Amino acid sequence: MYLLEFSILFQVLLILLTIWEPRYTVPNRTTFSRTIIPQLFEKVVAKLKEKRIEGRLDGIEAQLQSGVTVNTKKNNDILSLLPMKTVLDVEDIETKFTTDTNFKSQMWNVIFRIGGTNSKNFIKRTLQRFFTNELSTKYTWTGFRQHNHLRGLQIIKIIKGSYTLKIAVNKYSSTEADFETHVKDWFRHGSQRFGRENK
């Protein structure tokens, strides 16, 4: 929670720095706190809303270009399966990829709509939607120490495909190696998140 607030505050400060001129002089404290700060805050909020809307429009445009159609009922069916709580839930979803011909495109559509402010945030938000913290303690990228492996899962491949398209659409500066690193990190810290969740 505090990390998210810090992230937002940091973004606001960066935008404030770009809005201010370096040689700006403050008339007095009262004018500054009652007039200038609220005006700057409104500009920052407007800029953040504008960026968010642009990102969403880019996502919609990419979906239209890719030919993926949105079926809300099917998406709701998939969302009812999430987040996965057990290894059996993961196996059930993996089985659906082989038995249901439309499941892959529907899952891709759900993942693509999750979004994020950057590549790491997109991966974090996606994994939070798909895996509970308890389930994340049972997986590693390669199956190290008798955990289940992630690398070959269809769901991870689809997340990676959606991530690759997000990079192209949103111009994130990221690579496939970054994807693997972010996924490994998220799962590596699963036991810490699960421990905090149970306090």
Side-chain angles (χ1 to χ4, degrees), residues 161-178:
S162 185
Y163 165 84
T164 304
L165 184 58
K166 284 281 189 186
I167 290 171
V169 169
N170 296 323
K171 297 164 185 69
Y172 297 150
S173 57
S174 197
T175 63
E176 283 188 32
D178 293 332

Side-chain angles (χ1 to χ4, degrees), residues 61-117:
E61 186 178 87
Q63 278 185 327
L64 291 173
Q65 289 174 353
S66 69
V68 175
T69 57
V70 177
N71 185 338
T72 309
K73 183 186 180 316
K74 293 287 185 182
N75 288 350
N76 289 339
D77 292 345
I78 290 175
L79 291 173
S80 68
L81 302 171
L82 304 175
M84 297 176 283
K85 296 170 184 65
T86 65
V87 174
L88 287 174
D89 291 345
V90 175
E91 291 171 0
D92 287 343
I93 284 185
E94 289 294 307
T95 303
K96 285 183 188 281
F97 285 118
T98 57
T99 59
D100 186 350
T101 55
N102 296 322
F103 191 73
K104 185 175 183 178
S105 64
Q106 293 163 1
M107 185 64 77
W108 189 91
N109 187 34
V110 168
I111 293 168
F112 191 82
R113 294 174 57 96
I114 292 172
T117 56

Side-chain angles (χ1 to χ4, degrees), residues 183-197:
V183 171
K184 289 175 187 177
D185 286 343
W186 192 84
F187 279 91
R188 183 173 45 247
H189 297 294
S191 55
Q192 291 173 345
R193 289 190 309 274
F194 182 57
R196 282 192 303 252
E197 198 175 84

Side-chain angles (χ1 to χ4, degrees), residues 112-178:
F112 191 82
R113 294 174 57 96
I114 292 172
T117 56
N118 56 38
S119 59
K120 184 176 182 178
N121 181 258
F122 168 73
I123 292 167
K124 177 185 156 209
R125 288 173 48 82
T126 304
L127 294 175
Q128 284 174 334
R129 292 266 176 96
F130 279 79
F131 296 87
T132 61
N133 288 327
E134 181 178 9
L135 181 58
S136 71
T137 65
K138 297 180 172 114
Y139 281 88
T140 62
W141 186 252
T142 58
F144 186 66
R145 291 193 182 153
Q146 313 208 334
H147 287 82
N148 298 295
H149 73 281
L150 291 165
R151 187 181 359 194
L153 293 178
Q154 284 295 313
I155 190 67
I156 296 296
K157 290 177 183 175
I158 290 172
I159 292 171
K160 188 175 186 177
S162 185
Y163 165 84
T164 304
L165 184 58
K166 284 281 189 186
I167 290 171
V169 169
N170 296 323
K171 297 164 185 69
Y172 297 150
S173 57
S174 197
T175 63
E176 283 188 32
D178 293 332

Side-chain angles (χ1 to χ4, degrees), residues 3-19 40-41 43-45 47-49 51-52 116-118 121 172:
L3 185 60
L4 178 63
E5 291 173 358
F6 178 78
S7 173
I8 292 170
L9 180 61
F10 184 73
Q11 287 177 345
V12 168
L13 287 174
L14 285 177
I15 293 171
L16 284 175
L17 289 173
T18 59
I19 292 172
L40 290 174
F41 181 75
K43 287 181 183 179
V44 168
V45 168
K47 190 71 169 173
L48 289 173
K49 284 181 181 177
K51 282 187 175 188
R52 183 170 180 237
T117 56
N118 56 38
N121 181 258
Y172 297 150

